[in-house]
Amino acid sequence: MNRRTYLGLLASSATVGAAGCLADLDGTDIDSDEHPVGAWADGTIEFALPPFQDAEELEQQYAGTFEWLANGFEEVDSVEGTPTTSYSAVVESVVQGHTELANLSPIIYVLAREDGIHPLAINWSHGSDAYHTYIATRDETDIETLGDLDGTTVAMVDPLSTSGGMFPRYMLAEAGLDAGDIDTEPADFDIEWSFGHDAALQALENGHVDAAAYGDFQHPDDDAIVKLAESDPIPFDPVVAKPDTPESVRERLSERLIEAPDDALEDHRVDRYGPVEPGTYDPVRSVAEEMGVEVADLEEETDDN
């Protein structure tokens, strides 16, 4: 699946422009001058959530963020989570404007930039705006290095998952294995797609696979799990707004997220939200290019987003 095939998963690209903004705001009775966020959302902000964890757990984690956002704007009655079943589905939801906001994996964000989505904030966890992916096995196996995974089955999350798909395949390629790319299957090992970091790790813990790749926001319950390799730092996922979001709305949403207090995040894997700095996602873009995803024509990160 190259970049253009990925874009084909979307029914049609959302168009950015003043006409879109006016059409969106004209469909509500809320005064857009007095209450720009409420008018933009027509009273309810829908927030798409990617499938990197169990949907119920994600809803619980984001509950404080949703309440904080809802309480920050008059004429916003609620913020509602919208679980998705795939990484292509979560980006489709926000690119097409089915949801106002979304939390996107870094790879998906890089792919979707030219479709007009707007980064509002980057997630921080454990005091950092970056994380790692691990490739692990069980201590009962004879696997000691990534090269030993030749001929094995590795659980991964999703072909378009940053830490559960792209980065681990890149790591295995760097170790000398034929890991395939976004269009082809690996020649030297098999991948079992689990569609969740927790599910990939569980498949390894239960002995269904020889190894697993998962983000470091998951932690093994089994002491027999042995880490083989750790990736370079990966910037955490951004919160983004749909393409026709007016600048005044984006500024208010970004400020509100960045000001989120500790008690709004106490049940979340996120410690805080920070600004998206220029160049943050360049390492992700590089790995995407290595894995055959065409991102060379995407916009560079700019200060005005």
Side-chain angles (χ1 to χ4, degrees), residues 2-64:
N2 63 23
R3 180 182 164 277
R4 303 194 188 285
T5 304
Y6 150 77
L7 292 176
L9 291 171
L10 310 182
S12 61
S13 292
T15 302
V16 184
C21 296
L22 291 174
D24 188 59
L25 296 182
D26 284 348
T28 177
D29 294 330
I30 302 172
D31 189 314
S32 60
D33 291 328
E34 290 189 18
H35 309 293
V37 177
W40 165 77
D42 197 16
T44 300
I45 297 175
E46 293 186 84
F47 193 123
L49 299 172
F52 54 71
Q53 282 179 263
D54 176 77
E56 185 175 343
E57 291 179 357
L58 279 175
E59 289 270 14
Q60 292 172 351
Q61 287 188 19
Y62 276 89

Side-chain angles (χ1 to χ4, degrees), residues 134-211:
Y134 299 127
I135 299 177
T137 188
R138 298 184 309 279
D139 61 5
E140 65 196 48
T141 71
D142 295 326
I143 299 168
E144 297 181 354
T145 68
L146 294 183
D148 294 334
L149 292 174
D150 190 358
T152 68
T153 299
V154 182
M156 296 189 187
V157 178
D158 185 289
L160 289 175
S161 168
T162 306
S163 59
M166 291 284 187
F167 267 71
R169 292 178 77 174
Y170 175 75
M171 292 163 64
L172 288 164
E174 289 289 287
L177 299 180
D178 183 330
D181 58 26
I182 199 67
D183 294 310
T184 62
E185 296 295 324
D188 291 338
F189 58 93
D190 294 323
I191 298 177
E192 180 177 301
W193 298 109
S194 60
F195 301 101
H197 289 261
D198 51 351
L201 183 55
Q202 187 174 40
L204 176 62
E205 291 174 335
N206 292 338
H208 299 318
V209 294
D210 303 294

Side-chain angles (χ1 to χ4, degrees), residues 107-132:
I107 284 282
I108 291 292
Y109 168 66
V110 167
L111 287 171
R113 274 298 305 277
E114 74 173 14
D115 289 299
I117 58 170
H118 303 285
L120 302 177
I122 184 173
N123 296 338
W124 282 62
S125 185
H126 296 94
S128 175
D129 63 353
Y131 67 115
H132 301 83

Side-chain angles (χ1 to χ4, degrees), residues 59-293:
E59 289 270 14
Q60 292 172 351
Q61 287 188 19
Y62 276 89
T65 294
F66 293 167
E67 183 178 4
W68 171 253
L69 284 173
N71 291 342
F73 305 104
E74 293 185 19
E75 300 296 340
V76 173
D77 299 323
S78 65
V79 178
E80 298 179 359
T82 302
T84 59
T85 57
S86 70
Y87 284 80
S88 57
V90 71
V91 72
E92 179 179 6
S93 71
V94 71
V95 167
Q96 299 298 327
H98 303 313
T99 61
E100 284 75 28
L101 303 179
N103 193 94
L104 297 185
S105 79
I107 284 282
I108 291 292
Y109 168 66
V110 167
L111 287 171
R113 274 298 305 277
E114 74 173 14
D115 289 299
I117 58 170
H118 303 285
L120 302 177
I122 184 173
N123 296 338
W124 282 62
S125 185
H126 296 94
S128 175
D129 63 353
Y131 67 115
H132 301 83
T133 189
Y134 299 127
I135 299 177
T137 188
R138 298 184 309 279
D139 61 5
E140 65 196 48
T141 71
D142 295 326
I143 299 168
E144 297 181 354
T145 68
L146 294 183
D148 294 334
L149 292 174
D150 190 358
T152 68
T153 299
V154 182
M156 296 189 187
V157 178
D158 185 289
L160 289 175
S161 168
T162 306
S163 59
M166 291 284 187
F167 267 71
R169 292 178 77 174
Y170 175 75
M171 292 163 64
L172 288 164
E174 289 289 287
L177 299 180
D178 183 330
D181 58 26
I182 199 67
D183 294 310
T184 62
E185 296 295 324
D188 291 338
F189 58 93
D190 294 323
I191 298 177
E192 180 177 301
W193 298 109
S194 60
F195 301 101
H197 289 261
D198 51 351
L201 183 55
Q202 187 174 40
L204 176 62
E205 291 174 335
N206 292 338
H208 299 318
V209 294
D210 303 294
Y214 57 93
D216 65 7
F217 40 83
Q218 291 293 323
H219 303 284
D221 294 325
D222 189 341
D223 292 337
I225 301 301
V226 178
K227 294 173 185 173
L228 297 172
E230 176 183 298
S231 72
D232 291 334
I234 305 169
F236 269 116
D237 11 343
V239 177
V240 304
K242 64 181 181 176
D244 63 358
T245 305
E247 183 177 0
S248 62
V249 173
R250 301 196 311 257
E251 290 175 350
R252 287 169 170 80
L253 289 168
S254 181
E255 289 173 2
R256 184 68 177 173
L257 284 167
I258 291 171
E259 292 170 356
D262 291 344
D263 59 0
L265 301 172
E266 59 185 0
D267 295 323
H268 208 317
R269 68 181 179 88
V270 172
D271 296 334
R272 69 182 182 90
Y273 299 99
V276 180
E277 302 293 348
T280 295
Y281 292 93
D282 285 353
V284 178
R285 179 181 284 105
S286 297
V287 169
E289 290 173 343
E290 290 291 331
M291 294 307 297
V293 182

